[in-house]
Amino acid sequence: MGVIVQKFGGTSVADAEKIHRAARRAIRAKLEGKQVVMVVSAMGKTTDKLVALAQDVSPHPPKREMDMLLTTGEQVTIALMAMAIHSVGHEAISFTGGQVGMITDASHSKARIKKIDADRIREHLDAGRIAIVAGFQGITEDGAITTLGRGGSDTTAVALAAALNAEVCEIYTDVDGVYTTDPRIVPQARKLDTISYDEMLEMASLGAGVMHSRAIEFGKKYNVPIHVRSSLTDANGTMILAETSDMEEIVVRGAALKRDLARVVLRGVPNKMGVAAQVFARIAKHNIMVDDIIQNVYREHNIANIGFTTNASEAMEAQAVCDDLARELGIESVELDEKVAKVSVVGIGMKTHSGVAAKMFNALAEAKVNIENISTSEIVISCIVRLDDAEKALQTIHDVFELDK
Ligand code: ASP
Ligand code: MG
């Protein structure tokens, strides 16, 4: 009998009625002959409330205790979900991450899954029960409770689907699928029927917040088809799948905008061997995220400018670290620019089609959007633009690649 994993996010289990609706969905799949595993998040904004509560008690709570606290949110949902299913005469059993053998490393608040003991669930599935598993949590080899990072229930679901060799992992959420771009900015954005793992990974890292990146990585590694769909309707959502050759016919699948960026530029850097290494080693030591890096050399190769983009939230720290470096290495000045954004197009078809970059740059020029930096990979082209131009830029590239068609 085929296994199906259904994951319900916080908004899809926010109250008793929604819990019943999710329960009916699982029961229906069961009656259609599937073995059903449900993975659930904490109800509504529970996790945020728990985080706020911790802040009220202590400004720097130990990470181990944060994990202990946050995992209670999901534990509430699993129990209620099992009760909902029982109340309508079906068999269900709930499990914490630890009970289901979700073994992780010990990095509290961002633990990585090491292995899953799927046999424990299988036993119950074979006995005809719906298994309900708490998302977002695991346990270390020594029995400490861990969490997988915010949004981590997606990862629990896909990892379980992989371990159980499920036919599909369904992600039920409050949107009806993955869109060509953010419909709140571009009203013509269109729901995609399919997207490849690689495209979805890029879209996620470029700012499309549909799913936890780690979940998509799991899906790709173990080839788990992921169906992102609405918990309110029966309409099909978006399938995230391994790429097929006909997927390459579509050159650009989607466009993304990342707004919370900042750029740091070190001007007048002595162009000597090892300087860039020293700069980025120091930045890495402070765990500051570095996105695109640009270096230009001038004055007969003696001097360089090195710029990089980072998350807006890390900009001040990045600047402080660079100010120190400037003093130590004889760098002329450090500049911080917080008014930048990045627009990107993503598509595996770019591997086999040319002219995408020219078309994008041309459209931006016609829209009078200045491009301040360009970076590319096999399936992505990104431009740094002024923050004020960001929405116009996104609309422009969505139009020029006819993503609404
Ligand atoms: N409840 C956790 C969070 O809000 C995990 C999840 O929902 O995926 O981040
Ligand atoms: Mg979520």
Side-chain angles (χ1 to χ4, degrees):
M1 215 190 301
V3 175
I4 169 170
V5 175
Q6 299 185 323
K7 181 255 171 180
F8 294 87
T11 48
S12 308
V13 292
D15 55 36
E17 192 203 316
K18 287 183 176 147
I19 287 176
H20 272 289
R21 185 184 300 154
R24 285 197 294 276
R25 178 91 64 178
I27 291 167
R28 189 149 40 117
K30 171 92 207 311
L31 295 175
E32 281 165 8
K34 305 285 183 215
Q35 293 193 325
V36 184
V37 177
M38 299 176 87
V39 173
V40 293
S41 290
M43 293 169 69
K45 298 251 167 276
T46 302
T47 312
D48 291 335
K49 285 186 198 143
L50 291 170
V51 171
L53 193 54
Q55 291 296 321
D56 287 346
V57 171
S58 158
H60 300 293
K63 285 189 167 163
R64 179 189 185 281
E65 305 311 330
M66 267 317 267
D67 281 354
M68 187 65 88
L69 177 69
L70 296 190
T71 49
T72 62
E74 274 69 15
Q75 201 168 329
V76 169
T77 322
I78 54 171
L80 294 174
M81 189 64 76
M83 293 174 197
I85 294 173
H86 276 273
S87 75
V88 289
H90 290 268
E91 290 254 358
I93 179 165
S94 66
F95 299 100
T96 63
Q99 287 176 319
V100 92
M102 181 72 64
I103 306 295
T104 72
D105 65 17
S107 16
H108 285 288
S109 83
K110 49 171 191 291
R112 299 188 80 103
I113 298 170
K114 285 168 71 177
K115 62 171 192 248
I116 302 174
D117 181 5
D119 289 348
R120 300 201 205 168
I121 297 195
R122 260 211 194 92
E123 203 180 291
H124 293 280
L125 294 176
D126 289 341
R129 300 185 186 105
I130 293 174
I132 304 159
V133 179
F136 172 58
Q137 56 178 259
I139 196 160
T140 65
E141 229 103 44
D142 317 329
I145 291 177
T146 53
T147 63
L148 309 179
R150 293 303 305 269
S153 295
D154 290 340
T155 301
T156 305
V158 180
L160 268 176
L164 291 163
N165 209 354
E167 288 168 5
V168 61
C169 180
E170 295 182 328
I171 306 285
Y172 286 95
T173 175
D174 53 355
V175 293
D176 52 8
V178 179
Y179 277 69
T180 49
T181 197
D182 187 341
R184 287 166 301 184
I185 305 174
V186 179
Q188 301 88 337
R190 184 176 51 83
K191 191 189 81 191
L192 293 163
D193 293 332
T194 56
I195 185 169
S196 70
Y197 296 119
D198 285 330
E199 289 167 328
M200 193 64 228
L201 277 167
E202 294 290 356
M203 293 282 279
S205 81
L206 292 167
V210 189
M211 261 187 91
H212 206 223
S213 294
R214 187 99 45 89
I216 308 161
E217 280 164 19
F218 255 102
K220 179 179 175 188
K221 188 161 169 201
Y222 297 101
N223 205 3
V224 180
I226 301 171
H227 187 179
V228 180
R229 58 191 303 187
S230 164
S231 56
L232 299 173
T233 72
D234 284 336
N236 280 331
T238 304
M239 289 300 296
I240 310 175
L241 300 162
E243 68 182 74
T244 54
S245 53
D246 61 325
M247 273 176 146
E248 284 195 22
E249 280 164 24
I250 293 171
V251 184
V252 173
R253 182 91 44 200
L257 167 61
K258 204 168 179 179
R259 258 191 284 229
D260 37 10
L261 283 180
R263 180 169 49 196
V264 181
V265 182
L266 299 117
R267 292 197 186 280
V269 182
N271 187 27
K272 283 188 300 211
M273 238 188 305
V275 174
Q278 259 175 295
V279 169
F280 288 102
R282 182 76 58 86
I283 291 165
K285 211 175 114 201
H286 289 262
N287 279 320
I288 295 167
M289 194 280 303
V290 172
D291 203 356
D292 303 312
I293 300 175
I294 350 163
Q295 167 169 298
N296 328 302
V297 178
Y298 61 101
R299 254 188 247 157
E300 288 172 359
H301 289 267
N302 293 326
I303 298 286
N305 289 340
I306 300 179
F308 64 91
T309 46
T310 184
N311 292 327
S313 59
E314 293 172 288
M316 298 303 275
E317 197 188 351
Q319 186 179 29
V321 170
C322 290
D323 282 340
D324 286 345
L325 279 165
R327 272 189 293 279
E328 291 165 35
L329 302 175
I331 293 167
E332 278 164 26
S333 65
V334 177
E335 223 171 71
L336 176 64
D337 182 353
E338 291 180 285
K339 293 265 176 276
V340 292
K342 177 153 109 168
V343 286
S344 312
V345 291
V346 176
I348 50 175
M350 281 184 223
K351 290 193 230 176
T352 46
H353 292 76
S354 56
V356 182
K359 194 167 174 180
M360 176 172 178
F361 304 157
N362 205 11
L364 290 173
E366 275 174 15
K368 303 213 162 26
V369 174
N370 186 38
I371 302 170
E372 301 195 1
N373 185 42
I374 297 165
S375 56
T376 63
S377 75
E378 226 185 356
I379 65 166
V380 182
I381 303 171
S382 298
C383 296
I384 299 286
V385 300
R386 291 279 95 207
L387 185 57
D388 289 339
D389 286 336
E391 297 196 353
K392 180 164 75 169
L394 188 67
Q395 179 78 55
T396 301
I397 56 181
H398 198 271
D399 289 346
V400 74
F401 290 106
E402 300 185 338
L403 296 182
D404 55 330
K405 303 262 157 66

